[in-house]
């Protein structure tokens, strides 16, 4: 089950939740079961505060993922900065919805055990993101 919430941002931020639900297909494909997933769309300021409080990082980011994975069941909380995602979409020249899907996929991949600390891990993560974006209909 996946639930969407909005914190410190306008709920009318043009996010197609129904389309984003398709991203969770990757959990099954990666060999896991779906548990409880919470996605919180928020502002840059809100996520920066969380980044400082929980991770001791003093910089903006597009997503913070808290994993509650247990026994092959993917559960977690994903906090996504709408401000950062929309700015990245402009920079990357893609639709806001596609960039939002990419970021959500990125967080789900973290829950499935993928990391992006090294150059090689980042490369694998980007390949997986692109694979799943294509699968759900983004070119």
């Amino acid at each position: 089950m996946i639930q969407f919430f909005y914190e410190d941002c306008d709920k009318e931020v043009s996010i197609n939740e129904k389309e984003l639900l398709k991203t969770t297909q990757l959990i099954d494909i990666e060999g896991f079961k779906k548990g409880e997933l919470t996605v919180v769309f928020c502002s840059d300021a809100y996520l920066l505060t969380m980044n400082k409080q929980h991770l001791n990082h003093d910089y903006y980011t597009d997503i913070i993922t808290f994993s509650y994975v247990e026994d092959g069941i993917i559960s977690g909380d994903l906090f996504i900065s709408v401000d950062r995602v929309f700015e990245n979409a402009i920079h990357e020249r893609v639709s806001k919805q596609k960039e939002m899907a990419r970021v959500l996929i990125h967080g789900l991949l973290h829950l499935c055990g993928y990391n992006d600390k090294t150059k090689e891990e980042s490369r694998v993560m980007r390949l997986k993101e692109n694979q799943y974006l294509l699968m759900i209909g983004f070119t």
Side-chain angles (χ1 to χ4, degrees):
M1 171 187 220
I2 187 169
Q3 293 181 299
F4 297 103
F5 296 97
Y6 295 81
E7 197 65 50
D8 192 37
C9 74
D10 184 3
K11 190 170 180 174
E12 301 298 319
V13 291
S14 303
I15 296 171
N16 184 335
E17 293 174 7
K18 186 176 179 181
E19 189 172 76
L20 289 179
L21 283 172
K22 296 176 191 175
T23 63
T24 62
Q25 296 172 40
L26 76 86
I27 294 170
D28 299 318
I29 295 167
E30 292 290 332
F32 297 96
K33 293 188 187 320
K34 292 178 193 139
E36 298 291 323
L37 295 167
T38 301
V39 177
V40 180
F41 300 108
C42 58
S43 68
D44 262 351
Y46 187 91
L47 200 57
L48 178 61
T49 299
M50 289 191 69
N51 211 8
K52 289 177 182 177
Q53 286 179 346
H54 297 283
L55 302 173
N56 285 333
H57 296 159
D58 188 9
Y59 54 81
Y60 293 107
T61 187
D62 50 13
I63 186 168
I64 296 177
T65 304
F66 296 98
S67 176
Y68 312 119
V69 175
E70 195 172 297
D71 298 324
I73 300 172
I74 300 296
S75 295
D77 296 330
L78 297 98
F79 290 81
I80 299 175
S81 168
V82 174
D83 300 327
R84 187 76 14 224
V85 169
F86 288 3
E87 188 174 303
N88 289 346
I90 292 166
H91 181 261
E92 296 295 323
R93 296 184 175 144
V94 298
S95 72
K96 292 175 182 177
Q97 191 68 21
K98 180 177 182 177
E99 187 62 17
M100 188 62 73
R102 178 185 298 284
V103 170
L104 183 52
I105 288 167
H106 185 89
L108 294 172
L109 287 170
H110 275 305
L111 293 177
C112 290
Y114 291 91
N115 290 309
D116 55 0
K117 301 269 188 231
T118 68
K119 201 173 198 177
E120 179 58 20
E121 288 174 339
S122 292
R123 188 187 70 75
V124 169
M125 185 80 100
R126 184 55 69 147
L127 287 172
K128 286 281 187 180
E129 289 170 15
N130 290 335
Q131 170 191 341
Y132 289 120
L133 281 169
L134 283 171
M135 183 194 76
I136 62 173
F138 288 103
T139 57

